Amino acid sequence: MTDGYPPLILENKAYYCVECGKCSSICPMNRGEHGISPRRIVKKILENYEIEVIEDQWLYSCLICGLCDEVCPSMISFSTLIRELRHRALQSGNRKLCSKSGLLLQVGGIMMRPSLKQNRLDWLPKDTKISEKGDIMYFVGCLPFFDVIFKDIDPKTIDIAKGTLRMLNAAGIEPIVSNNERCCGHDQLWSGDIVEFEFLAKLNVEHFKELGIKKLLVSCPECYETISKYYPKYIGDLDFEVIYTMEYISELIDEGKITMKIDEMKVTYHDPCSLGRHLNIYEPPRNVIANIENLSFIEMPQNKESGPCCGVSAWITCDRTSKEMQINRLKEAISTGASKMITTCPKCLIHFLCSLKQRPEEEKDTMGIDVIDLSTLASKALEIPQREGQ
Amino acid sequence: MDNMFKPRIIAFCCNWCSYAGADLAGVSRFQYPPNARIIRVMCSGRVEPRFVFRAFEKGADGVIVTGCHIGDCHYISGNKKAEERMKLVRYLIGILGLEEDRFRLEWISASEGQKFAHVMTAFINKIKELGPNPMFGKIEEGTECQQ
């Protein structure tokens, strides 16, 4: 019965589309100037106008936030469809428009060179304990690079890694931190560059095998999603366990190995798409926040499954619509009365801080909110009990 | 083997000062090694970090960016922008594990033909000491972003 459909539709079971239009009405990019519509894309492919979709530059404005996947009554995965389409678009010569003229994707590309000897551990604080060999490894990801590239915004992304290591150390865990890990390939995968992604993935997995690790801790939601979900899909099963640090720390807290206390403040939490809708991890970060003493947590009106995206995906497009989305989200956070908006994704952090920095002077008073990463905040809260213990 | 090594140098020269400086070095017949490939840009501020990494990725052994002296920029502050950007490049080169000496930023005015020849000779000698670009090896060609 399904014989006549184009392969893209078959793979993603998009023939189940009932044309209800929920996806198009919820799509944040459809509200902006782009007019990207998941339903129209499916319809066009169904009627064999795939080439039109592939040649359209707006194919790259999709944020892969997964809101359309969430509301679809036919369970069509539009994000998978978009990924496949981008792969084809790249092959046919329709190239992506990158922010920072593609420097961030290029750094990943440079890391594809097997002969490269990186020098990426300069940030390690002297009091941090790491081991050369062992079962547990901490995957830092692109944090050292973001810290340099976005120096003008000053997101302090490297504090995420420092904070994570401090928390692990406090619980008596000394993970391996490797100088030779590569980019996880998330941005390459979602911009359709599957060849580059597989290359990076293989390099990484080979390196992990050499180290003989059994558990891989990952603090970046995108790296976590890529390694745990897409590495097995594209390059075969992994012989180690991939664990998200907040889940791990949440367990450590439950075991009583970590206690946290901080000055009284109101906070709210922004769910990154890759952690939330893509992987359904909502509770571990909230559990960590709940366990920091004196922190009063207020949920934003749009939260968990309905939480909006930060506006940029894989460094591809950043434009007026993205900025609008960021400002709307920040205003939502301010309306809760919180003084800090917590997130767990370094990219969300960078995008929100960028938006805050760009606000005109006269708006500075009304936009008084701080965006901070959960690991950074939690490690700050860790300070007091650690000193008491010593 | 060392004598066989002919470094490939990419030099980004700004249209208003350094390119004219290079020109002056030429017409004045100041000698400097022929390893540099000069790319003329309208301003040193036009050189994006990506250009430098692209050069390294494509096999350059050294990259030098030259522009007008601070305060002399044809576009008033382009070279200040370049200075900021090139700081980023230097950090990134460090993290990626290349020697920081493979990259250099110099201010050369249109009248400094002699300086141009000196800087190039010194830079090329330095690269000869460092040897070939360790990053350059054959890999599958990645796809590029649209500019």
Side-chain angles (χ1 to χ4, degrees), chain B residues 122-140:
Chain B
F123 186 59
I124 289 162
N125 286 341
K126 184 80 207 166
I127 300 298
K128 275 184 180 161
E129 269 173 44
L130 290 172
N133 179 356
M135 203 165 78
F136 189 53
K138 271 192 181 168
I139 55 146
E140 251 166 297

mmCIF file of all heavy atoms in Angstrom, chain B residues 122-140:
data_model
loop_
_atom_site.group_PDB
_atom_site.id
_atom_site.type_symbol
_atom_site.label_atom_id
_atom_site.label_comp_id
_atom_site.label_asym_id
_atom_site.label_seq_id
_atom_site.Cartn_x
_atom_site.Cartn_y
_atom_site.Cartn_z
ATOM 1 N N ALA B 122 61.705 37.126 8.550
ATOM 2 C CA ALA B 122 61.745 36.609 9.922
ATOM 3 C C ALA B 122 60.669 35.553 10.125
ATOM 4 O O ALA B 122 60.923 34.490 10.707
ATOM 5 C CB ALA B 122 61.542 37.757 10.904
ATOM 6 N N PHE B 123 59.477 35.827 9.610
ATOM 7 C CA PHE B 123 58.350 34.905 9.799
ATOM 8 C C PHE B 123 58.625 33.581 9.089
ATOM 9 O O PHE B 123 58.428 32.507 9.659
ATOM 10 C CB PHE B 123 57.064 35.560 9.273
ATOM 11 C CG PHE B 123 55.824 34.762 9.555
ATOM 12 C CD1 PHE B 123 55.478 34.447 10.853
ATOM 13 C CD2 PHE B 123 54.999 34.330 8.525
ATOM 14 C CE1 PHE B 123 54.333 33.720 11.129
ATOM 15 C CE2 PHE B 123 53.858 33.604 8.794
ATOM 16 C CZ PHE B 123 53.525 33.294 10.099
ATOM 17 N N ILE B 124 59.123 33.666 7.867
ATOM 18 C CA ILE B 124 59.375 32.447 7.100
ATOM 19 C C ILE B 124 60.484 31.630 7.758
ATOM 20 O O ILE B 124 60.390 30.397 7.849
ATOM 21 C CB ILE B 124 59.672 32.787 5.622
ATOM 22 C CG1 ILE B 124 58.372 33.258 4.952
ATOM 23 C CG2 ILE B 124 60.239 31.580 4.880
ATOM 24 C CD1 ILE B 124 58.555 34.022 3.680
ATOM 25 N N ASN B 125 61.505 32.310 8.280
ATOM 26 C CA ASN B 125 62.562 31.581 8.990
ATOM 27 C C ASN B 125 62.019 30.864 10.214
ATOM 28 O O ASN B 125 62.410 29.741 10.513
ATOM 29 C CB ASN B 125 63.684 32.551 9.404
ATOM 30 C CG ASN B 125 64.525 32.950 8.201
ATOM 31 O OD1 ASN B 125 64.514 32.267 7.170
ATOM 32 N ND2 ASN B 125 65.211 34.062 8.308
ATOM 33 N N LYS B 126 61.118 31.548 10.904
ATOM 34 C CA LYS B 126 60.503 30.953 12.100
ATOM 35 C C LYS B 126 59.725 29.697 11.721
ATOM 36 O O LYS B 126 59.814 28.664 12.389
ATOM 37 C CB LYS B 126 59.561 31.991 12.734
ATOM 38 C CG LYS B 126 58.924 31.573 14.019
ATOM 39 C CD LYS B 126 59.866 31.747 15.182
ATOM 40 C CE LYS B 126 59.527 30.784 16.293
ATOM 41 N NZ LYS B 126 60.579 30.689 17.294
ATOM 42 N N ILE B 127 58.966 29.793 10.632
ATOM 43 C CA ILE B 127 58.166 28.645 10.193
ATOM 44 C C ILE B 127 59.082 27.504 9.764
ATOM 45 O O ILE B 127 58.802 26.327 10.020
ATOM 46 C CB ILE B 127 57.209 29.036 9.033
ATOM 47 C CG1 ILE B 127 56.243 30.138 9.456
ATOM 48 C CG2 ILE B 127 56.441 27.834 8.516
ATOM 49 C CD1 ILE B 127 55.302 29.792 10.576
ATOM 50 N N LYS B 128 60.211 27.857 9.148
ATOM 51 C CA LYS B 128 61.165 26.808 8.751
ATOM 52 C C LYS B 128 61.676 26.063 9.977
ATOM 53 O O LYS B 128 61.873 24.850 9.938
ATOM 54 C CB LYS B 128 62.329 27.431 7.978
ATOM 55 C CG LYS B 128 62.011 27.589 6.496
ATOM 56 C CD LYS B 128 63.182 28.116 5.728
ATOM 57 C CE LYS B 128 62.806 28.261 4.266
ATOM 58 N NZ LYS B 128 63.702 29.161 3.549
ATOM 59 N N GLU B 129 61.876 26.810 11.070
ATOM 60 C CA GLU B 129 62.299 26.169 12.323
ATOM 61 C C GLU B 129 61.218 25.229 12.840
ATOM 62 O O GLU B 129 61.507 24.137 13.317
ATOM 63 C CB GLU B 129 62.514 27.237 13.405
ATOM 64 C CG GLU B 129 63.919 27.790 13.504
ATOM 65 C CD GLU B 129 63.941 28.950 14.485
ATOM 66 O OE1 GLU B 129 63.331 28.829 15.559
ATOM 67 O OE2 GLU B 129 64.558 29.981 14.135
ATOM 68 N N LEU B 130 59.949 25.691 12.756
ATOM 69 C CA LEU B 130 58.845 24.911 13.320
ATOM 70 C C LEU B 130 58.516 23.672 12.496
ATOM 71 O O LEU B 130 57.983 22.701 13.022
ATOM 72 C CB LEU B 130 57.593 25.791 13.425
ATOM 73 C CG LEU B 130 57.611 26.896 14.475
ATOM 74 C CD1 LEU B 130 56.399 27.792 14.312
ATOM 75 C CD2 LEU B 130 57.637 26.325 15.880
ATOM 76 N N GLY B 131 58.810 23.712 11.212
ATOM 77 C CA GLY B 131 58.518 22.562 10.353
ATOM 78 C C GLY B 131 57.106 22.606 9.800
ATOM 79 O O GLY B 131 56.372 23.557 10.026
ATOM 80 N N PRO B 132 56.718 21.544 9.073
ATOM 81 C CA PRO B 132 55.409 21.559 8.411
ATOM 82 C C PRO B 132 54.249 21.591 9.403
ATOM 83 O O PRO B 132 54.396 21.178 10.546
ATOM 84 C CB PRO B 132 55.393 20.253 7.618
ATOM 85 C CG PRO B 132 56.780 19.745 7.633
ATOM 86 C CD PRO B 132 57.470 20.326 8.806
ATOM 87 N N ASN B 133 53.147 22.058 8.918
ATOM 88 C CA ASN B 133 51.907 22.119 9.691
ATOM 89 C C ASN B 133 51.492 20.716 10.139
ATOM 90 O O ASN B 133 51.208 19.859 9.305
ATOM 91 C CB ASN B 133 50.839 22.732 8.776
ATOM 92 C CG ASN B 133 49.486 22.845 9.424
ATOM 93 O OD1 ASN B 133 49.299 22.406 10.548
ATOM 94 N ND2 ASN B 133 48.562 23.440 8.717
ATOM 95 N N PRO B 134 51.468 20.461 11.464
ATOM 96 C CA PRO B 134 51.175 19.094 11.932
ATOM 97 C C PRO B 134 49.724 18.686 11.685
ATOM 98 O O PRO B 134 49.386 17.512 11.704
ATOM 99 C CB PRO B 134 51.450 19.183 13.436
ATOM 100 C CG PRO B 134 51.274 20.609 13.784
ATOM 101 C CD PRO B 134 51.685 21.395 12.570
ATOM 102 N N MET B 135 48.879 19.687 11.467
ATOM 103 C CA MET B 135 47.466 19.399 11.315
ATOM 104 C C MET B 135 47.149 18.871 9.923
ATOM 105 O O MET B 135 46.138 18.233 9.694
ATOM 106 C CB MET B 135 46.718 20.704 11.526
ATOM 107 C CG MET B 135 45.317 20.574 11.926
ATOM 108 S SD MET B 135 44.786 22.171 12.524
ATOM 109 C CE MET B 135 44.517 23.035 10.998
ATOM 110 N N PHE B 136 48.036 19.173 8.993
ATOM 111 C CA PHE B 136 47.714 18.893 7.602
ATOM 112 C C PHE B 136 47.935 17.433 7.271
ATOM 113 O O PHE B 136 49.027 16.914 7.304
ATOM 114 C CB PHE B 136 48.563 19.769 6.689
ATOM 115 C CG PHE B 136 48.131 19.694 5.248
ATOM 116 C CD1 PHE B 136 46.820 19.921 4.901
ATOM 117 C CD2 PHE B 136 49.039 19.381 4.258
ATOM 118 C CE1 PHE B 136 46.406 19.842 3.588
ATOM 119 C CE2 PHE B 136 48.641 19.303 2.942
ATOM 120 C CZ PHE B 136 47.333 19.537 2.601
ATOM 121 N N GLY B 137 46.861 16.761 7.008
ATOM 122 C CA GLY B 137 46.959 15.378 6.583
ATOM 123 C C GLY B 137 45.777 15.117 5.705
ATOM 124 O O GLY B 137 44.821 15.881 5.707
ATOM 125 N N LYS B 138 45.831 14.045 4.955
ATOM 126 C CA LYS B 138 44.720 13.826 4.046
ATOM 127 C C LYS B 138 43.512 13.301 4.797
ATOM 128 O O LYS B 138 43.574 12.316 5.506
ATOM 129 C CB LYS B 138 45.124 12.845 2.945
ATOM 130 C CG LYS B 138 45.727 13.564 1.768
ATOM 131 C CD LYS B 138 45.865 12.662 0.580
ATOM 132 C CE LYS B 138 46.504 13.447 -0.563
ATOM 133 N NZ LYS B 138 46.939 12.608 -1.649
ATOM 134 N N ILE B 139 42.421 13.991 4.668
ATOM 135 C CA ILE B 139 41.161 13.498 5.213
ATOM 136 C C ILE B 139 40.092 13.761 4.179
ATOM 137 O O ILE B 139 40.332 14.446 3.199
ATOM 138 C CB ILE B 139 40.752 14.223 6.514
ATOM 139 C CG1 ILE B 139 40.705 15.735 6.296
ATOM 140 C CG2 ILE B 139 41.610 13.844 7.665
ATOM 141 C CD1 ILE B 139 39.646 16.387 7.096
ATOM 142 N N GLU B 140 38.940 13.194 4.453
ATOM 143 C CA GLU B 140 37.843 13.445 3.532
ATOM 144 C C GLU B 140 37.451 14.912 3.575
ATOM 145 O O GLU B 140 37.361 15.507 4.647
ATOM 146 C CB GLU B 140 36.635 12.589 3.923
ATOM 147 C CG GLU B 140 36.385 11.481 2.946
ATOM 148 C CD GLU B 140 35.429 10.487 3.524
ATOM 149 O OE1 GLU B 140 35.769 9.867 4.543
ATOM 150 O OE2 GLU B 140 34.354 10.330 2.955
#
